[in-house]
Amino acid sequence: MQLNIPLVSFIALAFTAVAANATTNTSSSVVSTKTVTYCPTTTPVPVCPPLTQTIPLRRMWNGDLTSHFYSTYGLEVAQFGTQGYSEEPPQGRVYATQVDGTVPLWRCNLNQGTPQIDYFYTADAAEFQAQVAGGCQVMPDPAAAGISQGIGYLHPRPQCNAVPLYRLYSSARFDHFYTINETERQNNINTGLYADQGITGYVIPN
């Protein structure tokens, strides 16, 4: 029997093409069935201490001295009440003892022999030390207060529904002013009497 060579070549080529196509389809099928699993990273949610561990940050004002004073100690507030200071609404709540995610709210007295008195508060330890080195007098703590050189602990960043404690300063009054009220903050800035000095920290709202 005599073979037709061109026909044999055609059959061989056709078989090769079918085999190649089958291989391609198999490969495509394998690729298309691969599953990629994406596992996003999550930020741990901070554990918020109970509100029963917080105490009010009380604000007082002496118009004769154009001086604001802040405290968390009842006896101290009563003492300043006998020195011409009247109490204003509290500016949020701070923690009486240090808990996770909080830092001390330091304070010192910037009175340098002038009739005016400026009480300075900060949650920045380096800033506090710089003020003390510049003459800011560390105020003695009331008996059994248990908070060294400070009046409580607050959050350095927003968490646990805490709100900003804004700081302003008046060179005319020689007075640092702290508030959690955005409207009060803006009104004092708009009058030109106080200049904005940013956020001291974050306190629990009243």
Side-chain angles (χ1 to χ4, degrees):
M1 179 178 178
Q2 187 176 8
L3 294 176
N4 188 327
I5 299 303
L7 179 59
V8 171
S9 299
F10 174 79
I11 293 173
L13 290 172
F15 178 81
T16 302
V18 170
N21 185 55
T23 302
T24 302
N25 289 340
T26 301
S27 177
S28 299
S29 176
V30 171
V31 172
S32 64
T33 57
K34 287 184 178 179
T35 302
V36 178
T37 303
Y38 174 66
C39 298
T41 57
T42 57
T43 302
V45 177
V47 177
C48 300
L51 295 181
T52 53
Q53 296 185 20
T54 63
I55 50 180
L57 177 57
R58 301 166 73 172
R59 186 175 80 189
M60 306 187 77
W61 165 248
N62 186 318
D64 294 332
L65 298 176
T66 62
S67 171
H68 283 96
F69 177 73
Y70 302 78
S71 180
T72 53
Y73 310 128
L75 293 177
E76 193 174 52
V77 170
Q79 176 188 351
F80 272 71
T82 66
Q83 299 174 6
Y85 284 82
S86 57
E87 189 163 3
E88 297 184 335
Q91 299 306 302
R93 302 178 68 87
V94 296
Y95 296 94
T97 57
Q98 190 162 23
V99 296
D100 289 343
T102 64
V103 294
L105 179 58
W106 312 97
R107 72 173 180 180
C108 60
N109 179 358
L110 285 167
N111 179 21
Q112 298 178 348
T114 65
Q116 294 172 303
I117 302 174
D118 181 24
Y119 296 100
F120 178 76
Y121 301 79
T122 180
D124 185 328
E127 184 181 42
F128 174 70
Q129 293 299 334
Q131 289 287 344
V132 171
C136 194
Q137 302 170 4
V138 177
M139 298 179 62
D141 295 327
I147 305 175
S148 177
Q149 300 177 345
I151 58 172
Y153 301 87
L154 44 63
H155 295 287
R157 59 187 61 85
Q159 65 185 73
C160 298
N161 298 318
V163 297
L165 178 64
Y166 299 106
R167 186 175 87 191
L168 297 86
Y169 178 68
S170 172
S171 57
R173 287 182 168 180
F174 188 55
D175 178 56
H176 277 91
F177 176 64
Y178 300 79
T179 180
I180 59 173
N181 188 311
E182 173 62 33
T183 300
E184 185 177 47
R185 166 183 173 269
Q186 198 59 54
N187 287 342
N188 277 281
I189 293 173
N190 290 343
T191 62
L193 186 58
Y194 283 86
D196 184 25
Q197 289 195 337
I199 296 174
T200 300
Y202 294 82
V203 298
I204 304 303
N206 295 320

